[in-house]
Amino acid sequence: MPANPSQSNAGPGSNDSISRRSFLRTSAVFASGLAALAASLEPLRHLKDFPSTEQFLQKYYKELSPAEMAKVLKRIEDEVERQYGLRPQVKDLRPMDGVEFVYALNLTRCIGCRKCVHACVAENNQSREPEIQYIRVLRLPHGSMDMEKAEHNYNPESVPEKGFFYMPVQCQHCKNPPCVKVCPVHATWQETDGITVIDYDWCIGCRYCEAACPYWARRFNFTKPSIPKDRVNLNMAYLGDRPRRQGVMEKCHFCIQRTRAGRYPACLEVCPVGARKFGNILDPNSEVSYILRTKRVFIQLKEELGTSPRFFYYFDV
Amino acid sequence: MNDQAKTSAVLFSLSLMFLALSLAFARHLWEHPQPGPPVPLVDPALLAPTTIRTSYPQLIRLKADLSDFDCYGCHEKGKPPTLRFDTNQNIIVPKEHSDVVMGHGRHNRNNNCFNCHDEHNLLLLQVRDGREIKLEESPPLCGSCHGPTYRDWEAGAHGRTGGYWNRAAGELKRQICVDCHNPHSPKIPSRTPFPPPHPLRPTQEQARTPHASRLLSSSFPPPSSSPVLPEFSITRTTPRTSEQAHVTLSPF
Amino acid sequence: MTRAIRNYFVFLGRCGRLAFAGDWRYYTWMGVLSVICLLGLNAYLRQFAQGLIVTGMSDEVSWGVYIANFTFLVGVAAAAVMMVIPAYVYNNEELHDLVIFGELLAVAAILMCLAFVTVDLGRPDRFWHLIPGIGQLNFPASMLSWDVIVLNGYLLLNVHICGYLLYCRYRGRTPAKWFYIPFVFIAIIWAVSIHTVTAFLYVGLGGRSFWNSAIVGPRFLASAFTAGPALMILAIQVVRRVTATSPADEGSRLREGGSVAQNPTSRAATLDDLELLGSRLPEFASAPRELRHSLLAAAMVWEAKAGDVMLRQGDTDNRAFFVLKGRVVVKREEGGRYRITRSLGPGEQFGEISSLAGTPRTGTAVAEEPSLVLSLSADALRKLMKIPRLNKVIRSRMSERLLITDRALMTLRSIVQVSMLINVFLLANEVFKEFYSGNLHVASSKYLFLGLHGHHALVPWIWTAIAFNLTAMVLLVLPVSRSLRWLNVTCVLCIVGIWIEKGMGLVIPGFIPSPLGEMVEYRPSLNETLVCFGIWAFGLLCYTVFLRMSVPILQGRLSKANEGA
């Protein structure tokens, strides 16, 4: 700063050569500064999919009228066709009345084969590169539920290994979900049938829900997800397996495109040993009602946190 | 150097700095991360919801070759076969049935073929209370000893279900005992696991040893050329029904 | 109305022009900051195009240096307003002007916080989803929604208070107390709330036992009130340095020359002179005529040339002066350097404090240009002060000086001292609670302090931070930190120690191990680091511009009176 008022050197001075010099150097700095600013925008050349005005202004899921939703679904179908060459069918499936889903997992039966992990990936159009997997199978030693003793990367010749049991963990669709509480924009919420869903077009990618989840169930798209063209599942739901974009969260949604159509989720269908059980707890004749009625020991993970998960792990031998 | 000169010097070097920066930005001089090894894809055929084995009722449904099950093609009607035991009370399986490995129950508890098979009518099975049941409707036989499991199975809690949980929308597909359990050696065989996860930020150690997987597309031998049906594919490594209890690499 | 808007734009224009004017040191500083900003911008655009994969974050450690810096800077913003408490609540005069610097620091810090949070978003184009009414702000359930509201509100509060006070000073008007004092008190409470809300972001997560502890909130406040005032201590000394000239330029001129009264030409005051004063100072014109005329006997008028010295720092004469024409500058010598504390135009007074209180002169008054100055005896001034309106105007102008005394710095030092003691005490509490009982929820603490399962990337960082904090605490308690040099060292130790502890030492260990027991470590990438540097440079750029504009206003050198000069 000018230390002395008489020493100001900005603006036209009394001396012509000073003013010309000052003009030259000021313009040089400004011009080169602008050039540097313009050049710094170079990475935007690689910007892959910038949202259109329509996408930018798209309303929140719960505020979309049926006509607006139809337009949105069509837009998604167009996008997928453009990107993968095949036209999917994207539906907005609503929860059924009198249905509340519950998942029961028999830890005696699970052999840790990870078939559920990959069936989920195939069914739900998850990114292969970088790899996103909603389900993580933990290998725990007999006698302990301490997560610190869990091994995520076991890769033996054959499973199951002696002295261990296997516990697949995915979104627990808690009755008291911490992720729903912390989302600043209501992008994730629990529907009446118990599925905690995400509106991928509303999520701002702050990852607060990822910090809040005690089960490490939520995944973030750190870059544009990549799905091989021939592996796309064309049966899509808006809140389910339709392809996501860079910068949004995703997670297990109980294969909403299947379960709301009355079918079992993919992880259950492929499990070779039938360790997974899913159904409507409000129906007394469902398998899950039977299990919760007759089995004696249930584990809800981290029960003490008060999240009240819908996943009941049990042993029966 | 007086202040004016110093200011000029600073401003001109700043201009040069900005120009250098422009060039550096335009040429994208830094941040070229090396991509890691590509994540290998899993063959979708391996993800089919096949059962662990192909049972007799499934063979019937698939209209496959059932000549194995034509008992009276070799045996004589009305003449119950004789069983031979060795000195340790272990049953000696005749060489014509060498694909049967007896392993049902410990300490040779279930060491007698006619605990389940009907010696007077080899095409049927028998329960201890005298009931005779068809080979393709075997669950009540299993349940006659494995009561709690049978109860669970009836309710859908044991074994595999598939299809529709909402009976109003579609059919529930149930597997029966022998779709998964080999009746002679019921223990579920071990299998090779699918590969472990590929982390976004691998440690140096993880980066050095990429996961070798035995179940990926190119490295795995293709399934046999039997017809592949939508829900269940036959996996037969021999012309006979696979009754081996050791490690199989079949994609169940 | 339009006139008012036009005036305001002229004011903004002059301030804006000032931001680009300076000497070679200023250009070097701003140039370096601009270069770093551009590097940061380029890095951020790379992240915008390719996604957060260019950072070092992962699904296991999903928050990194961006949120770490955010957390630290919210504390700085909250604490910058801490100086408001002694200034307004306890009427500590010396801190009054520094309050503006503190609030400007708060504004710069909040801008940095908002920048850090924005660069951390996966979809910043969807920021409008956060706007209540238009978007779907999840208030009051989500603590992030509270943060959005309190941070923006705090920004507006401080911009209002600073802007209003500075603009009033510029206009030469006494600020209306009702228009800013309530906001000042709201700002004090709001400052505590912004940091508590940020603490609650972490505390509210039941699944992360490292954060889910009641001590996090108080710890945040204690560390904020250590680092914030420490930053202020350093910033204020920088302001003092750059607004001062070296004695070589000034001292010779000011020290030479004989006694004061000899230099300017003086004569007895006339009625015309009093008329002139009345025209410049309306409150004087409205004084009773008899009173005004009775002053003639004790009044003198000096015609000063540019550079004439009218009073000298330390002298004990007690006349008071009013500028009739021209401009007089008051400089104060501190630590061997002179700084302009005020710049006075027609109608404004100087020397009145020593006149009324009988204390030695606090500065040296020099005519900047040919000026006409009226001088009154102390008795005459006291008579004038009996008139309520005149009394009010003279008193309010008394505090319009830019004094950055060492006493102010010592007051800040006591704040830092107490806060650091509390901070270290709370750290001891945390360490005891984590390690004494031996229960299983201490994996994150073990990772941070001792390393866990072969992973120990953060261990050297946290122990460095603890060493810095303890050293700073000891230095603060000892009288050695009263010397400015040691105080500065202590402040740097505080700031760095708390940055590490609050940033890397709070955010990262909460994620390691993951809720499923996985140990995945975190390392910021080059791109991430460049973005952080860019935002810090941006913040410093903003703060420099703020100071560049506000110091001349506070000194009186940038005012409506010399518009067009």
Side-chain angles (χ1 to χ4, degrees):
Chain A
M1 306 189 200
N4 196 314
S6 59
Q7 222 186 6
S8 71
N9 52 19
S14 51
N15 191 325
D16 257 351
S17 75
I18 290 181
S19 101
R20 188 171 53 235
R21 177 168 56 174
S22 138
F23 174 73
L24 265 176
R25 65 190 185 195
T26 319
S27 348
V29 171
F30 266 108
S32 57
L34 281 173
L37 182 63
S40 73
L41 304 177
E42 185 266 341
L44 290 177
R45 278 197 302 152
H46 306 290
L47 188 57
K48 281 166 232 167
D49 62 337
F50 197 70
S52 64
T53 324
E54 205 181 52
Q55 280 170 343
F56 176 70
L57 293 173
Q58 187 179 314
K59 291 207 278 215
Y60 182 47
Y61 173 82
K62 290 185 185 171
E63 291 183 341
L64 289 169
S65 70
E68 285 166 333
M69 176 50 96
K71 275 214 317 226
V72 166
L73 295 177
K74 179 170 178 308
R75 192 202 80 225
I76 296 173
E77 287 172 1
D78 291 338
E79 261 169 37
V80 175
E81 188 172 20
R82 219 182 5 253
Q83 198 174 0
Y84 298 100
L86 296 158
R87 194 168 182 86
Q89 199 191 23
V90 186
K91 296 192 215 111
D92 175 35
L93 298 165
R94 295 285 160 151
M96 294 180 269
D97 285 326
V99 170
E100 207 187 308
F101 293 123
V102 147
Y103 215 116
L105 216 148
N106 192 337
L107 291 176
T108 316
R109 306 292 167 204
C110 179
I111 55 171
C113 65
R114 293 198 185 102
K115 199 168 174 187
C116 51
V117 176
H118 291 271
C120 171
V121 167
E123 169 72 23
N124 291 303
N125 293 320
Q126 289 168 39
S127 172
R128 308 303 198 271
E129 191 93 50
E131 186 184 77
I132 292 185
Q133 293 174 341
Y134 295 162
I135 305 174
R136 178 61 66 93
V137 184
L138 305 178
R139 187 192 74 184
L140 288 156
H142 275 166
S144 175
M145 286 290 287
D146 182 8
M147 295 293 186
E148 267 188 84
K149 300 200 176 84
E151 175 57 58
H152 296 237
N153 297 301
Y154 63 91
N155 193 17
E157 281 288 325
S158 73
V159 283
E161 301 161 276
K162 214 167 155 60
F164 295 101
F165 69 95
Y166 299 88
M167 186 162 70
V169 181
Q170 64 213 67
C171 173
Q172 309 273 294
H173 299 273
C174 312
K175 279 213 183 84
N176 181 18
C179 58
V180 168
K181 196 161 40 170
V182 300
C183 176
V185 289
H186 282 300
T188 190
W189 66 94
Q190 179 151 112
E191 301 247 289
T192 51
D193 57 357
I195 306 184
T196 306
V197 295
I198 302 174
D199 181 355
Y200 308 115
D201 290 332
W202 195 253
C203 173
I204 59 173
C206 69
R207 307 185 302 294
Y208 196 13
C209 56
E210 200 168 17
C213 179
Y215 306 105
W216 193 65
R218 299 183 70 108
R219 304 284 181 269
F220 182 66
N221 281 291
F222 282 89
T223 188
K224 189 166 191 312
S226 76
I227 311 167
K229 283 197 167 77
D230 55 337
R231 308 278 176 114
V232 175
N233 176 8
L234 297 170
N235 172 26
M236 297 180 182
Y238 179 81
L239 292 171
D241 63 330
R242 50 105 166 195
R244 280 69 67 189
R245 349 168 60 96
Q246 172 176 303
V248 299
M249 301 296 301
E250 56 183 80
K251 65 173 189 64
C252 163
H253 43 74
F254 276 171
C255 282
I256 209 169
Q257 66 277 3
R258 287 175 153 244
T259 52
R260 284 193 179 165
R263 300 170 64 193
Y264 284 108
C267 49
L268 183 150
E269 288 240 33
V270 298
C271 175
V273 296
R276 289 171 168 271
K277 298 291 161 203
F278 175 88
N280 178 9
I281 194 66
L282 300 177
D283 171 11
N285 298 320
S286 64
E287 308 90 271
V288 288
S289 295
Y290 172 84
I291 290 168
L292 291 183
R293 250 194 333 264
T294 56
K295 303 297 172 191
R296 276 171 299 171
V297 180
F298 292 100
I299 301 158
Q300 285 174 295
L301 291 181
K302 308 203 190 196
E303 197 180 342
E304 71 278 9
L305 297 180
T307 50
S308 203
R310 283 174 200 283
F311 247 82
F312 294 88
Y313 295 90
Y314 65 101
F315 295 87
D316 61 7
V317 172
Chain B
M1 235 215 256
N2 71 2
D3 272 336
Q4 276 293 325
K6 275 193 207 154
T7 312
S8 295
V10 164
L11 288 179
F12 276 122
S13 30
L14 197 55
S15 310
L16 285 173
M17 192 66 209
F18 281 141
L19 283 173
L21 210 56
S22 317
L23 249 120
F25 286 153
R27 303 288 298 253
H28 192 171
L29 285 181
W30 53 81
E31 271 302 293
H32 291 280
Q34 291 290 8
V39 175
L41 295 175
V42 168
D43 186 349
L46 301 173
L47 298 174
T50 48
T51 47
I52 294 173
R53 61 190 297 272
T54 315
S55 61
Y56 178 62
Q58 283 174 340
L59 291 171
I60 296 176
R61 269 202 301 278
L62 297 170
K63 301 195 171 57
D65 172 20
L66 296 175
S67 50
D68 275 349
F69 296 86
D70 179 19
C71 311
Y72 290 110
C74 296
H75 290 272
E76 248 184 75
K77 273 213 170 82
K79 188 169 168 213
T82 354
L83 298 176
R84 291 204 336 267
F85 294 84
D86 65 13
T87 42
N88 291 329
Q89 297 300 311
N90 293 330
I91 193 158
I92 300 174
V93 176
K95 61 179 179 328
E96 292 86 351
H97 291 293
S98 60
D99 55 335
V100 172
V101 177
M102 285 305 288
H104 194 147
R106 293 208 274 179
H107 311 303
N108 296 322
R109 265 193 279 262
N110 206 358
N111 209 13
N112 191 314
C113 309
F114 301 123
N115 285 346
C116 293
H117 288 282
D118 187 346
E119 61 268 49
H120 301 292
N121 183 349
L122 294 171
L123 298 172
L124 293 177
L125 301 166
Q126 62 179 345
V127 190
R128 280 171 304 162
D129 62 5
R131 273 182 295 155
E132 287 182 331
I133 51 180
K134 294 206 196 115
L135 217 63
E136 60 268 29
E137 291 165 11
S138 50
L141 169 60
C142 313
S144 68
C145 285
H146 301 283
T149 310
Y150 185 70
R151 272 203 298 280
D152 278 351
W153 174 80
E154 279 189 313
H158 182 101
R160 291 179 64 170
T161 46
Y164 288 77
W165 61 266
N166 185 4
R167 314 287 189 265
E171 255 187 49
L172 171 70
K173 286 184 175 49
R174 295 302 327 277
Q175 307 306 125
I176 61 168
C177 320
V178 291
D179 289 336
C180 295
H181 298 279
N182 182 330
H184 306 117
S185 304
K187 185 168 156 51
I188 303 282
S190 317
R191 56 160 296 157
T192 318
F194 278 79
H198 295 85
L200 186 64
R201 315 270 175 216
T203 59
Q204 282 188 325
E205 201 189 301
Q206 282 167 325
R208 262 177 299 167
T209 55
H211 306 119
S213 173
R214 293 151 278 263
L215 273 183
L216 301 176
S217 295
S218 47
S219 57
F220 189 73
S224 63
S225 56
S226 334
V228 177
L229 295 172
E231 286 292 302
F232 310 107
S233 50
I234 308 168
T235 51
R236 292 212 280 176
T237 52
T238 67
R240 316 173 84 133
T241 55
S242 353
E243 297 200 318
Q244 281 111 9
H246 58 260
V247 175
T248 63
L249 286 178
S250 60
F252 65 75
Chain C
M1 183 62 184
T2 39
R3 191 110 168 273
I5 297 177
R6 191 202 78 94
N7 284 337
Y8 193 65
F9 275 109
V10 166
F11 162 67
L12 287 179
R14 291 182 78 193
C15 287
R17 267 200 300 268
L18 252 188
F20 289 94
D23 67 350
W24 65 272
R25 288 173 301 179
Y26 181 70
Y27 287 131
T28 313
W29 170 246
M30 298 299 262
V32 167
L33 289 180
S34 307
V35 165
I36 299 176
C37 272
L38 283 173
L39 282 167
L41 176 66
N42 175 260
Y44 175 63
L45 292 174
R46 184 159 297 115
Q47 182 188 290
F48 186 73
Q50 295 178 27
L52 278 128
I53 200 164
V54 303
T55 67
M57 294 186 267
S58 56
D59 278 318
E60 291 86 355
V61 184
S62 49
W63 279 342
V65 276
Y66 294 155
I67 301 294
N69 276 304
F70 162 76
T71 311
F72 176 73
L73 286 165
V74 173
V76 167
V81 141
M82 270 310 275
M83 299 190 304
V84 170
I85 296 182
Y88 283 89
V89 176
Y90 295 108
N91 272 314
N92 182 330
E93 281 293 325
E94 295 195 332
L95 284 187
H96 242 276
D97 268 346
L98 305 188
V99 163
I100 296 224
F101 296 149
E103 305 223 352
L104 289 171
L105 178 64
V107 171
I110 291 282
L111 288 174
M112 282 198 267
C113 287
L114 293 173
F116 272 117
V117 163
T118 308
V119 301
D120 188 64
L121 289 179
R123 294 236 55 114
D125 52 307
R126 294 183 188 171
F127 72 93
W128 66 269
H129 295 181
L130 284 163
I131 303 174
I134 306 175
Q136 282 283 328
L137 192 67
N138 185 7
F139 183 85
S142 166
M143 296 315 297
L144 248 184
S145 70
W146 283 76
D147 231 356
V148 166
I149 294 173
V150 297
L151 284 180
N152 285 293
Y154 191 66
L155 179 65
L156 290 173
L157 262 176
N158 281 305
V159 165
H160 165 71
I161 296 170
C162 291
Y164 180 67
L165 288 177
L166 284 171
Y167 191 53
C168 281
R169 200 64 104 79
Y170 174 82
R171 293 294 302 267
R173 283 204 294 237
T174 323
K177 283 197 151 48
W178 65 267
F179 204 56
Y180 77 98
I181 296 271
F183 294 104
V184 164
F185 283 94
I186 294 175
I188 296 174
I189 303 170
W190 205 280
V192 173
S193 82
I194 63 170
H195 214 27
T196 311
V197 165
T198 307
F200 284 178
L201 277 181
Y202 299 100
V203 175
L205 301 184
R208 306 254 176 204
S209 53
F210 185 68
W211 294 335
N212 186 222
S213 159
I215 208 171
V216 174
R219 191 96 203 279
F220 263 40
L221 285 173
S223 55
F225 294 155
T226 312
L231 257 173
M232 273 315 303
I233 289 175
L234 296 176
I236 283 168
Q237 287 179 75
V238 169
V239 170
R240 227 166 47 163
R241 205 36 144 62
V242 298
T243 58
T245 58
S246 72
D249 304 340
E250 307 275 342
S252 46
R253 213 161 15 94
L254 293 176
R255 280 192 232 107
E256 281 166 20
S259 95
V260 171
Q262 286 169 4
N263 287 359
T265 345
S266 61
R267 57 170 173 76
T270 63
L271 277 173
D272 286 334
D273 298 316
L274 293 181
E275 289 286 321
L276 190 51
L277 181 60
S279 69
R280 300 289 190 219
L281 186 61
E283 290 82 358
F284 180 76
S286 62
R289 231 161 137 259
E290 310 80 57
L291 177 64
R292 278 186 285 145
H293 290 197
S294 70
L295 297 175
L296 274 179
M300 296 191 65
V301 165
W302 291 352
E303 289 165 11
K305 299 187 297 297
D308 280 349
V309 175
M310 268 156 285
L311 45 86
R312 219 176 281 284
Q313 187 171 340
D315 280 356
T316 49
D317 68 309
N318 56 5
R319 292 186 77 85
F321 302 87
F322 285 86
V323 178
L324 298 175
K325 267 199 252 183
R327 187 152 279 276
V328 170
V329 150
V330 179
K331 297 185 209 256
R332 190 180 154 75
E333 195 234 325
E334 271 161 6
R337 289 172 176 276
Y338 282 89
R339 175 183 334 88
I340 297 175
T341 56
R342 317 149 87 174
S343 167
L344 304 150
E348 298 182 307
Q349 79 258 15
F350 60 97
E352 76 284 11
I353 294 182
S354 315
S355 181
L356 292 172
T359 49
R361 300 293 190 191
T362 54
T364 303
V366 179
E368 203 174 31
E369 55 192 53
S371 312
L372 205 65
V373 173
L374 178 77
S375 91
L376 294 174
S377 67
D379 285 332
L381 181 62
R382 266 182 225 113
K383 269 199 257 177
L384 278 180
M385 294 293 277
K386 291 207 172 76
I387 302 164
R389 284 187 71 199
L390 205 48
N391 187 314
K392 195 160 162 243
V393 118
I394 290 177
R395 277 209 182 277
S396 73
R397 286 195 177 152
M398 260 186 215
S399 55
E400 283 177 11
R401 70 188 65 221
L402 184 58
L403 277 177
I404 303 179
T405 58
D406 280 0
R407 275 247 301 273
L409 292 175
M410 291 302 127
T411 312
L412 288 176
R413 172 185 170 275
S414 346
I415 298 177
V416 177
Q417 183 187 58
V418 172
S419 306
M420 181 54 106
L421 282 165
I422 298 177
N423 189 36
V424 170
F425 174 66
L426 293 178
L427 169 68
N429 271 269
E430 260 193 282
V431 168
F432 176 82
K433 177 252 182 194
E434 294 285 289
F435 290 105
Y436 182 80
S437 61
N439 73 16
L440 287 182
H441 288 291
V442 298
S444 293
S445 297
K446 275 212 196 109
Y447 170 71
L448 176 64
F449 290 104
L450 306 168
L452 186 63
H453 300 316
H455 295 94
H456 38 66
L458 282 181
V459 174
W461 285 90
I462 191 65
W463 285 106
T464 312
I466 291 178
F468 279 12
N469 283 347
L470 287 176
T471 314
M473 182 186 77
V474 167
L475 284 174
L476 282 166
V477 163
L478 295 176
V480 69
S481 57
R482 272 197 235 276
S483 98
L484 282 181
R485 197 165 32 145
W486 279 104
L487 182 59
N488 291 342
V489 166
T490 312
C491 286
V492 170
L493 288 175
C494 285
I495 294 166
V496 174
I498 286 172
W499 185 89
I500 296 175
E501 175 188 73
K502 218 166 179 183
M504 307 295 274
L506 169 87
V507 176
I508 312 302
F511 291 105
I512 303 172
S514 78
L516 297 184
E518 219 184 344
M519 300 286 303
V520 174
E521 290 195 282
Y522 163 77
R523 229 184 131 188
S525 65
L526 171 65
N527 213 72
E528 223 175 339
T529 317
L530 284 174
V531 174
C532 289
F533 276 120
I535 296 178
W536 272 94
F538 169 72
L540 285 170
L541 210 68
C542 285
Y543 193 48
T544 311
V545 167
F546 295 157
L547 289 176
R548 184 78 189 84
M549 300 193 290
S550 58
V551 166
I553 296 176
L554 291 173
Q555 287 173 328
R557 282 164 51 222
L558 182 70
S559 67
K560 186 139 193 353
N562 62 8
E563 226 172 71

